[in-house]
Each structure stands twice: as C-alpha cells, then as structure tokens.
Amino acid sequence: MQIVTQNEKEVLVTPPKKSLSPFAIARKKFLKNKLAMTSLIFLLVVTIVSILAPYITTADITRINIGQMSLEPSSKHWLGTDKSGRDVFTRLLYGGRISLLVGISCTLFVLLIGTLIGSISGYFGGAVDSLLMRFTDFILNFPFIVFVIVLNAILFGKVNGLWVLIGTISLLSWGGIARIVRSKILAEKENEYITAAISIGCSPTKVIVKHLLPNILSTIIVQATITFATMIVAETGLSFLGFGVPQEIPSWGNMLNSANEPDVLQFKLWIWVPPALIITITILSINFIGEGLKDAFNPKSKR
C-alpha cells in the first residue's frame, strides 16, 4: 500500500500485483490437482523404498532355498516366497530398483537423442530436415522386439546385459520425441524474437539452447512422463518374455516371468499379484502425473 497526495488530499494507492510466470502458474495448478499430487507422492515413496531396499530387508535375493519353496505370506515372509524359495517382498523392492533404473535411464537417453535430432531438424530445415526425418522414419519402423531378441542372443554373457537392454531400448525409441520437438521448433522459430536473435548474430546453438528449447520445455516435460511409463512397460514386457533384464537380476518383469505357470497363476497368487499390482499402479501414477502436467501447462485449462 502507498499513500499519494492529490489536490491536498491523501489517496491510498494499491501497487499492481506482480504477474506470475507461466511455470509458476503451471506449478500452482499442478499442486491443486489432487490425483496428480497423490500419484507423485506414491511414485516418490516407491522410488525411495526401492533405493533403500538394502536397509529395509537383509534377505538374499538370489539364493535358492528348496525347503521354503512357494510358502504363503506369513510374519517371516510378508508376501510369501516364490517357487525357488526366495522372499517375494525382498525381490519386489530390489526389482523396483532395476525397473525404475531402466525406465529413468531410457527416458533420459530418449529425451536427449530425440530433442537433439528434432531441434536440429526443425531449426535448419531443408536437406538437413529431410535427411534426419527419413532416418527417424527408419527408426520408427524398425522391428523393435526382433532386434532386442537378436542382440540379447548375440551379447548374452559377454557384456552387462542390463546396460545393453537400456541402450537398445533408447536407440530405438527416440523417434516420436524427435518428431514432436521438430514440429514445435518449426512453429516457434517463426516468431519475431527468433528472427531478432538471428539478426544480431546469435549462433544456431545459442538460438536453439537459449531461445527455442526453453519455450517448448513444457512439451518436453509432458512427453518425459509418457516416455517414462512406456519404458517401464517395455522392460516389463521384454523381461516377461525372457529377453529383457538377465534372469539373475530381480526386476518386476522377471518376477512375472518366474510365475508364468498355470499352477502358480491359479493357486499361488502371492507370487505374481504383488509385482503385477505395483507395475499397474506405478504406470497409472506416471500417467496421472503426465495428465496433471498437461493440464497445468495448458493455458486454456481451468483445473
């Protein structure tokens, strides 16, 4: 509040409120989205618990115990044991570490490659755009599952299978992000501020990094959540088929793979229901977070 004197009279003047930035508005709208916030809290809890797995449980995740095969849930084994006598709760925690690691790592690599290709293609256009988009089309049409199976068969036991899987999924999954980034860059570079930046001698790298990418960051963030969920599904599906994470490493997909028997599916629900349930809720949570971010960054949304 400020007092201003006009014609020998004191007038109370309220200073104009400082306008919020688009990201501040988006953050405020996202925090009001109860479903998205609940999903975010759940995802954080799952991540923290998985990271702290060695401190929560001390059971051996790989040791086969014939005397404790397929035991029902009890005070000693909260979620029972699997058909190899391994504690399901322990493997669920350690499996979360691997599944989330694959999801996060693949998402980062996919965003990096896709954003780089899409930015260069959209900014330069012409022959560069045509060449990069034809390469992107080739990646999008590449037989993903066949390539992963062949690569797994060739490199099995020779290198770290987990990072081979992460690299393979990442190299074959960036096409969609590249196309989205390219379309946004094509639209954004027509604005006057980009023309002004180019006219004063800004290099293409500076224009892309300092002017274009910050203005499409909201789109990239939303796509990151969608990609994260997709990568977890990819790891789970490949591991369930036996072509994903090596069997000696616990992951949610491997837990489902080890329960792929009629007897287990019908009568030993504690072996496969926990990983199936945590996968489903985690994927739903990531999708709800993505929808919340999409609404938050949408200026027409009233949520």
Side-chain angles (χ1 to χ4, degrees), residues 262-283:
D263 178 61
V264 175
L265 293 174
Q266 293 182 39
F267 305 111
K268 301 171 183 176
L269 303 182
W270 64 88
I271 295 179
W272 65 269
V273 167
L277 196 60
I278 196 69
I279 290 170
T280 302
I281 298 177
T282 300
I283 298 301

Tab-separated table of all heavy atoms in Angstrom, residues 262-283:
chain	number	residue	atom	x	y	z
A	262	PRO	N	0.694	-72.364	-14.997
A	262	PRO	CA	-0.732	-72.468	-14.640
A	262	PRO	C	-0.972	-72.676	-13.150
A	262	PRO	O	-1.876	-72.081	-12.564
A	262	PRO	CB	-1.206	-73.682	-15.461
A	262	PRO	CG	-0.268	-73.734	-16.618
A	262	PRO	CD	1.065	-73.270	-16.080
A	263	ASP	N	-0.153	-73.522	-12.520
A	263	ASP	CA	-0.327	-73.796	-11.091
A	263	ASP	C	-0.107	-72.541	-10.258
A	263	ASP	O	-0.864	-72.261	-9.320
A	263	ASP	CB	0.656	-74.883	-10.664
A	263	ASP	CG	0.563	-75.172	-9.174
A	263	ASP	OD1	-0.520	-75.583	-8.732
A	263	ASP	OD2	1.565	-74.945	-8.462
A	264	VAL	N	0.911	-71.750	-10.602
A	264	VAL	CA	1.207	-70.515	-9.874
A	264	VAL	C	0.113	-69.486	-10.100
A	264	VAL	O	-0.352	-68.816	-9.168
A	264	VAL	CB	2.574	-69.950	-10.313
A	264	VAL	CG1	2.827	-68.595	-9.658
A	264	VAL	CG2	3.689	-70.922	-9.943
A	265	LEU	N	-0.324	-69.343	-11.339
A	265	LEU	CA	-1.339	-68.340	-11.673
A	265	LEU	C	-2.672	-68.623	-10.982
A	265	LEU	O	-3.395	-67.695	-10.615
A	265	LEU	CB	-1.534	-68.296	-13.194
A	265	LEU	CG	-0.344	-67.778	-14.021
A	265	LEU	CD1	-0.624	-67.916	-15.509
A	265	LEU	CD2	-0.051	-66.322	-13.679
A	266	GLN	N	-3.007	-69.894	-10.778
A	266	GLN	CA	-4.307	-70.245	-10.204
A	266	GLN	C	-4.287	-70.342	-8.684
A	266	GLN	O	-5.223	-69.890	-8.026
A	266	GLN	CB	-4.774	-71.589	-10.784
A	266	GLN	CG	-5.110	-71.532	-12.279
A	266	GLN	CD	-5.614	-72.873	-12.786
A	266	GLN	OE1	-6.351	-73.572	-12.113
A	266	GLN	NE2	-5.201	-73.246	-13.989
A	267	PHE	N	-3.229	-70.923	-8.132
A	267	PHE	CA	-3.268	-71.254	-6.713
A	267	PHE	C	-2.227	-70.532	-5.857
A	267	PHE	O	-2.295	-70.611	-4.628
A	267	PHE	CB	-3.070	-72.773	-6.537
A	267	PHE	CG	-4.048	-73.592	-7.312
A	267	PHE	CD1	-3.636	-74.350	-8.408
A	267	PHE	CD2	-5.398	-73.602	-6.979
A	267	PHE	CE1	-4.534	-75.100	-9.139
A	267	PHE	CE2	-6.313	-74.368	-7.694
A	267	PHE	CZ	-5.889	-75.106	-8.787
A	268	LYS	N	-1.275	-69.847	-6.455
A	268	LYS	CA	-0.228	-69.171	-5.690
A	268	LYS	C	-0.177	-67.694	-6.078
A	268	LYS	O	0.786	-67.205	-6.661
A	268	LYS	CB	1.131	-69.856	-5.928
A	268	LYS	CG	1.114	-71.336	-5.521
A	268	LYS	CD	2.371	-72.062	-5.942
A	268	LYS	CE	2.288	-73.549	-5.576
A	268	LYS	NZ	3.457	-74.319	-6.046
A	269	LEU	N	-1.263	-67.014	-5.753
A	269	LEU	CA	-1.435	-65.628	-6.181
A	269	LEU	C	-0.384	-64.695	-5.585
A	269	LEU	O	-0.050	-63.675	-6.192
A	269	LEU	CB	-2.838	-65.129	-5.795
A	269	LEU	CG	-4.016	-65.940	-6.342
A	269	LEU	CD1	-5.328	-65.298	-5.916
A	269	LEU	CD2	-3.950	-66.045	-7.857
A	270	TRP	N	0.131	-65.025	-4.396
A	270	TRP	CA	1.090	-64.139	-3.739
A	270	TRP	C	2.407	-64.020	-4.509
A	270	TRP	O	3.177	-63.093	-4.277
A	270	TRP	CB	1.368	-64.631	-2.316
A	270	TRP	CG	2.027	-65.977	-2.253
A	270	TRP	CD1	3.369	-66.258	-2.285
A	270	TRP	CD2	1.383	-67.248	-2.165
A	270	TRP	NE1	3.594	-67.606	-2.231
A	270	TRP	CE2	2.396	-68.246	-2.147
A	270	TRP	CE3	0.046	-67.653	-2.084
A	270	TRP	CZ2	2.095	-69.602	-2.055
A	270	TRP	CZ3	-0.236	-68.998	-1.985
A	270	TRP	CH2	0.772	-69.967	-1.980
A	271	ILE	N	2.648	-64.939	-5.457
A	271	ILE	CA	3.900	-64.896	-6.218
A	271	ILE	C	3.845	-63.852	-7.337
A	271	ILE	O	4.827	-63.157	-7.586
A	271	ILE	CB	4.227	-66.291	-6.807
A	271	ILE	CG1	4.503	-67.292	-5.666
A	271	ILE	CG2	5.428	-66.224	-7.748
A	271	ILE	CD1	4.803	-68.699	-6.149
A	272	TRP	N	2.673	-63.723	-7.994
A	272	TRP	CA	2.598	-62.823	-9.152
A	272	TRP	C	1.729	-61.581	-8.946
A	272	TRP	O	1.906	-60.580	-9.646
A	272	TRP	CB	2.095	-63.579	-10.382
A	272	TRP	CG	0.679	-64.088	-10.279
A	272	TRP	CD1	0.274	-65.298	-9.818
A	272	TRP	CD2	-0.515	-63.397	-10.662
A	272	TRP	NE1	-1.083	-65.424	-9.875
A	272	TRP	CE2	-1.600	-64.265	-10.394
A	272	TRP	CE3	-0.772	-62.143	-11.192
A	272	TRP	CZ2	-2.924	-63.913	-10.644
A	272	TRP	CZ3	-2.095	-61.778	-11.454
A	272	TRP	CH2	-3.153	-62.663	-11.179
A	273	VAL	N	0.806	-61.611	-7.973
A	273	VAL	CA	-0.064	-60.442	-7.768
A	273	VAL	C	0.713	-59.203	-7.303
A	273	VAL	O	0.487	-58.107	-7.834
A	273	VAL	CB	-1.202	-60.778	-6.784
A	273	VAL	CG1	-1.917	-59.504	-6.330
A	273	VAL	CG2	-2.207	-61.719	-7.441
A	274	PRO	N	1.647	-59.297	-6.321
A	274	PRO	CA	2.376	-58.088	-5.892
A	274	PRO	C	3.115	-57.373	-7.022
A	274	PRO	O	2.950	-56.154	-7.188
A	274	PRO	CB	3.329	-58.621	-4.815
A	274	PRO	CG	2.626	-59.813	-4.258
A	274	PRO	CD	1.960	-60.443	-5.429
A	275	PRO	N	3.948	-58.080	-7.846
A	275	PRO	CA	4.602	-57.347	-8.938
A	275	PRO	C	3.619	-56.812	-9.973
A	275	PRO	O	3.800	-55.708	-10.496
A	275	PRO	CB	5.549	-58.385	-9.555
A	275	PRO	CG	5.027	-59.709	-9.120
A	275	PRO	CD	4.418	-59.477	-7.785
A	276	ALA	N	2.574	-57.595	-10.274
A	276	ALA	CA	1.581	-57.126	-11.249
A	276	ALA	C	0.871	-55.882	-10.735
A	276	ALA	O	0.637	-54.916	-11.483
A	276	ALA	CB	0.566	-58.236	-11.538
A	277	LEU	N	0.551	-55.873	-9.441
A	277	LEU	CA	-0.159	-54.740	-8.847
A	277	LEU	C	0.724	-53.500	-8.795
A	277	LEU	O	0.277	-52.393	-9.138
A	277	LEU	CB	-0.614	-55.115	-7.432
A	277	LEU	CG	-1.681	-54.236	-6.784
A	277	LEU	CD1	-2.952	-54.239	-7.606
A	277	LEU	CD2	-1.973	-54.709	-5.360
A	278	ILE	N	1.981	-53.661	-8.395
A	278	ILE	CA	2.877	-52.498	-8.290
A	278	ILE	C	3.185	-51.926	-9.672
A	278	ILE	O	3.290	-50.703	-9.847
A	278	ILE	CB	4.173	-52.872	-7.541
A	278	ILE	CG1	4.910	-51.609	-7.081
A	278	ILE	CG2	5.093	-53.704	-8.393
A	278	ILE	CD1	4.220	-50.850	-6.007
A	279	ILE	N	3.299	-52.785	-10.681
A	279	ILE	CA	3.521	-52.301	-12.051
A	279	ILE	C	2.315	-51.485	-12.508
A	279	ILE	O	2.458	-50.375	-13.048
A	279	ILE	CB	3.768	-53.482	-13.021
A	279	ILE	CG1	5.122	-54.127	-12.738
A	279	ILE	CG2	3.711	-53.007	-14.471
A	279	ILE	CD1	5.322	-55.438	-13.476
A	280	THR	N	1.124	-52.022	-12.290
A	280	THR	CA	-0.103	-51.341	-12.729
A	280	THR	C	-0.269	-49.990	-12.055
A	280	THR	O	-0.525	-48.972	-12.724
A	280	THR	CB	-1.329	-52.222	-12.420
A	280	THR	OG1	-1.192	-53.491	-13.062
A	280	THR	CG2	-2.608	-51.546	-12.912
A	281	ILE	N	-0.103	-49.953	-10.732
A	281	ILE	CA	-0.297	-48.699	-10.002
A	281	ILE	C	0.788	-47.692	-10.372
A	281	ILE	O	0.517	-46.486	-10.497
A	281	ILE	CB	-0.301	-48.959	-8.480
A	281	ILE	CG1	-1.463	-49.877	-8.103
A	281	ILE	CG2	-0.422	-47.642	-7.719
A	281	ILE	CD1	-1.507	-50.253	-6.639
A	282	THR	N	2.030	-48.159	-10.566
A	282	THR	CA	3.121	-47.254	-10.948
A	282	THR	C	2.861	-46.632	-12.319
A	282	THR	O	3.025	-45.418	-12.502
A	282	THR	CB	4.468	-48.001	-10.966
A	282	THR	OG1	4.726	-48.526	-9.663
A	282	THR	CG2	5.599	-47.072	-11.364
A	283	ILE	N	2.432	-47.447	-13.283
A	283	ILE	CA	2.143	-46.931	-14.621
A	283	ILE	C	0.984	-45.943	-14.570
A	283	ILE	O	1.030	-44.875	-15.195
A	283	ILE	CB	1.815	-48.093	-15.586
A	283	ILE	CG1	3.019	-49.030	-15.727
A	283	ILE	CG2	1.411	-47.539	-16.953
A	283	ILE	CD1	4.267	-48.369	-16.229
